[in-house]
Amino acid sequence: FPVTIERGKGLGTKAHEERLEEARKLGYQVAVCTALETNSAQITILQNYGWEKVKRFLSNKTGNHVGLWIKTL
């Protein structure tokens, strides 16, 4: 069955906030994230939450350009 993704409902932002809170509770000081360069919705969330893109690379597995992002918690 095709999957319908509902955009613009804040679900990605909510999931992002939950994961950051979980990482903080576990005592992590730094978080790392990868994002496809074509995923503008995810990149917007990362930028809005103060993540810093530190590297861009080509995935050997998929051939996609990917950004490596970090955030101090």
Side-chain angles (χ1 to χ4, degrees):
F1 297 100
V3 175
T4 302
I5 299 172
E6 295 188 49
R7 295 198 181 267
K9 304 229 182 234
L11 300 176
T13 298
K14 185 175 189 302
H16 182 81
E17 290 173 350
E18 289 172 356
R19 297 303 174 268
L20 286 179
E21 183 60 29
E22 183 179 341
R24 286 184 186 103
K25 285 180 181 177
L26 291 170
Y28 289 101
Q29 297 178 354
V30 177
V32 178
C33 179
T34 57
L36 290 174
E37 299 244 321
T38 57
N39 190 340
S40 59
Q42 183 181 12
I43 291 171
T44 298
I45 291 170
L46 295 173
Q47 290 171 333
N48 288 344
Y49 279 83
W51 289 74
E52 179 185 355
K53 185 164 81 170
V54 295
K55 179 88 173 154
R56 179 180 188 254
F57 63 93
L58 186 64
S59 169
N60 292 334
K61 184 175 181 180
T62 65
N64 293 316
H65 290 280
V66 179
L68 177 66
W69 298 74
I70 62 167
K71 177 172 179 58
T72 303
L73 300 177

